[in-house]
Amino acid sequence: MCKMRVAVRREMLGAREQAFSLWNGKEVMEYTGNQIKSLIKSGQKVCGLALKENELVPDAEGFFKTNIMEHRYCGNFTPMIENENVMSNVFYIVIGSHEEKGVVYYDCISTKFEQASFEQSDVKAYIKLGIISGGARLGADDKIELASLEYEKAEETKPTEKKGAVEKKK
């Protein structure tokens, strides 16, 4: 299993797209739209983005991405989809969860690259307000569903010896 890249925000120069900032779990890397399209076409995953008619759009089905924050210039953050009633200039993307002393915390990265952990009640409220823009959604019975951050690489077959026989290793 390989960890995917998570689309955090879209970098803009005025109305012109410059790049997308992607979080890989350790660092932020910038990719152009064409680079991301090539990655997706080659079978690699980019969490939060999907190709629709050769255009990059928020991946609402696979990663529950509802919107993407655009960084237009110093201190100016606006949602990519402007018709939503979003009052925030920062979005959080859920990138995992962990448990501490019986309490479940959801790990997030913000569009300003802040790493934070929120309790379940906070995450539910943030999803309803539109502050959490991807990685999680409210499912049946008001439970939080997390999107998968991993994908399977194409299986590699390597010959290995085992008691005189050659087997394929998965």
Side-chain angles (χ1 to χ4, degrees), residues 69 75 77-79 86-91 111-112:
M69 189 63 72
F77 295 90
T78 57
V86 178
M87 301 299 291
S88 176
N89 68 350
V90 66
F91 287 150
T111 51
K112 295 181 181 180

Side-chain angles (χ1 to χ4, degrees), residues 51-68:
L51 271 178
K52 184 176 182 181
E53 299 173 5
N54 206 32
E55 292 296 321
L56 292 171
V57 295
D59 183 10
E61 294 172 16
F63 195 67
F64 316 135
K65 191 77 166 172
T66 57
N67 208 339
I68 295 174

Side-chain angles (χ1 to χ4, degrees), residues 12 21 32 34 46-47 55 63-64 85 96 100 117 131 165-166:
M12 304 291 285
S21 296
T32 65
N34 287 334
V46 177
C47 294
E55 292 296 321
F63 195 67
F64 316 135
N85 295 327
E100 289 180 20
S117 294
I131 295 171
V166 176

Side-chain angles (χ1 to χ4, degrees), residues 66-67 69 79 84-92 121-134 136-138 142:
T66 57
N67 208 339
M69 189 63 72
E84 293 187 11
N85 295 327
V86 178
M87 301 299 291
S88 176
N89 68 350
V90 66
F91 287 150
Y92 287 92
S121 60
D122 293 335
V123 170
K124 286 180 181 180
Y126 292 163
I127 290 172
K128 290 175 183 174
L129 291 171
I131 295 171
I132 289 184
S133 68
R137 71 176 172 191
L138 290 177
D142 207 34

Side-chain angles (χ1 to χ4, degrees), residues 11 27 32 75 79-80 84-85 89 114 132 141 152-153 165:
E11 303 293 338
E27 62 186 343
T32 65
M80 184 172 136
E84 293 187 11
N85 295 327
N89 68 350
E114 168 198 10
I132 289 184
D141 299 331
E152 292 194 30
K153 262 185 154 176

Side-chain angles (χ1 to χ4, degrees), residues 3-98:
K3 196 136 182 145
M4 285 196 268
R5 298 166 190 92
V6 178
V8 176
R9 69 183 188 199
R10 184 178 180 196
E11 303 293 338
M12 304 291 285
L13 182 61
R16 189 173 139 203
E17 176 186 299
Q18 293 294 305
F20 282 87
S21 296
L22 305 181
W23 173 253
N24 70 2
K26 296 179 184 175
E27 62 186 343
V28 176
M29 300 179 70
E30 291 185 343
Y31 290 84
T32 65
N34 287 334
Q35 289 174 318
I36 293 173
K37 288 176 188 178
S38 295
L39 286 172
I40 293 172
K41 287 177 183 176
S42 71
Q44 297 186 44
K45 304 271 180 161
V46 177
C47 294
L49 293 173
L51 271 178
K52 184 176 182 181
E53 299 173 5
N54 206 32
E55 292 296 321
L56 292 171
V57 295
D59 183 10
E61 294 172 16
F63 195 67
F64 316 135
K65 191 77 166 172
T66 57
N67 208 339
I68 295 174
M69 189 63 72
E70 292 181 343
H71 182 225
R72 295 202 172 260
Y73 52 86
C74 291
N76 184 315
F77 295 90
T78 57
M80 184 172 136
I81 303 169
E82 296 178 10
N83 62 356
E84 293 187 11
N85 295 327
V86 178
M87 301 299 291
S88 176
N89 68 350
V90 66
F91 287 150
Y92 287 92
I93 298 112
V94 179
I95 56 173
S97 65
H98 68 279

